[in-house]
């Protein structure tokens, strides 16, 4: 998250890593094996680099199940929450899959990339809370349509056609978002 030349975050990372490593040294006999696994994992892959739901699942499976001091009711609730959210995602993927099949991409656009699940995953990482299902679905659909458009242009469009398409999109964008556009539309 730092910019080039900013050393403060690098120093903070170095300090945090040294502190975590020192906690895991054999001289600290009070540390539990579960906590040691969490430290090792955090040093390998920081939490901010993981999708929150994937991190939750990893934590349930690898840390909390082995921790004898954990509240079993809380663990049960975490598993139930994960399973419920997973069922929301499965339902959204079913809806997207039905929409994708209704377009019949494999027949109508045989050259197009079939990236439904990957596209959904991108938006699932951005909108991971269950209440943002519409954002995940709409974002995935838009991304897939743009992918088909990109593949169509790559396979069939001439330079002049691409230029005309870009100009048309620019003009339409400028009509609705004039404060963002840098060029003026006549």
């Amino acid at each position: 998250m730092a910019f080039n030349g900013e050393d403060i975050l690098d120093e903070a990372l170095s300090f945090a890593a040294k502190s975590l490593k020192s906690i895991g040294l054999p001289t600290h006999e009070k540390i539990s094996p579960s906590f040691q696994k969490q430290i090792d994992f955090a040093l390998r892959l920081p939490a901010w680099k993981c999708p929150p739901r994937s991190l939750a699942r990893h934590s349930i499976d690898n840390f909390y199940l082995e921790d004898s001091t954990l509240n079993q009711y809380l663990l049960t609730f975490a598993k139930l929450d994960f399973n419920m959210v997973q069922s929301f995602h499965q339902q959204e993927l079913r809806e997207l899959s039905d929409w994708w099949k209704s377009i019949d991409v494999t027949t109508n656009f045989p050259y197009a990339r079939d990236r439904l699940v990957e596209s959904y995953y991108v938006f699932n990482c951005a909108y991971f809370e269950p209440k943002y299902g519409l954002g995940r679905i709409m974002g995935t659909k838009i991304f897939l349509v743009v992918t088909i458009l990109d593949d169509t242009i790559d396979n069939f469009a001439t330079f002049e056609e691409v230029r005309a398409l870009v100009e048309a999109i620019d003009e339409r964008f400028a009509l609705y978002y004039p404060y963002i556009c840098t060029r003026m539309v006549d």
Side-chain angles (χ1 to χ4, degrees):
M1 298 201 174
F3 292 100
N4 287 336
E6 287 184 333
D7 297 330
I8 189 84
L9 288 178
D10 293 332
E11 292 171 15
L13 177 62
S14 177
F15 172 76
K18 285 179 186 175
S19 298
L20 284 172
K21 286 177 185 174
S22 71
I23 291 172
L25 293 175
T27 56
H28 287 80
E29 295 176 8
K30 294 182 180 180
I31 190 169
S32 72
S34 175
F35 189 54
Q36 180 62 51
K37 283 175 69 174
Q38 290 179 47
I39 291 171
D40 294 341
F41 181 75
L43 289 170
R44 279 193 325 272
L45 186 63
W48 61 271
K49 288 187 176 182
C50 299
R53 287 292 170 170
S54 298
L55 182 61
R57 181 61 189 206
H58 178 82
S59 297
I60 290 170
D61 290 343
N62 294 293
F63 307 136
Y64 301 125
L65 288 175
E66 299 173 3
D67 194 348
S68 61
T69 63
L70 183 72
N71 183 331
Q72 287 299 318
Y73 293 112
L74 187 59
L75 178 62
T76 303
F77 178 72
K79 287 180 181 180
L80 180 63
D81 175 65
F82 184 86
N83 291 336
M84 288 176 58
V85 172
Q86 184 180 39
S87 71
F88 292 147
H89 295 315
Q90 289 170 345
Q91 179 59 38
E92 290 168 2
L93 270 170
R94 272 191 291 276
E95 180 181 327
L96 284 165
S97 182
D98 291 344
W99 171 79
W100 191 243
K101 287 176 187 174
S102 73
I103 296 173
D104 197 14
V105 174
T106 55
T107 303
N108 295 326
F109 309 100
Y111 51 84
R113 293 168 280 178
D114 187 5
R115 299 284 187 226
L116 173 65
V117 175
E118 294 92 333
S119 302
Y120 178 76
Y121 183 74
V122 168
F123 287 95
N124 191 22
C125 290
Y127 300 110
F128 59 89
E129 295 181 22
K131 65 183 176 179
Y132 296 124
L134 183 60
R136 285 188 295 274
I137 291 170
M138 294 306 297
T140 302
K141 286 181 177 182
I142 291 168
F143 189 80
L144 290 169
V145 168
V146 169
T147 301
I148 292 173
L149 178 63
D150 179 59
D151 291 342
T152 303
I153 289 170
D154 288 345
N155 284 287
F156 300 109
T158 64
F159 183 74
E160 293 77 24
E161 291 169 334
V162 171
R163 181 179 294 181
L165 176 65
V166 168
E167 287 176 3
I169 292 171
D170 281 348
E171 289 175 14
R172 180 57 62 106
F173 193 81
L175 287 173
Y176 292 101
Y177 304 101
Y179 51 89
I180 294 176
C181 291
T182 56
R183 60 175 261 210
M184 298 296 291
V185 176
D186 297 331

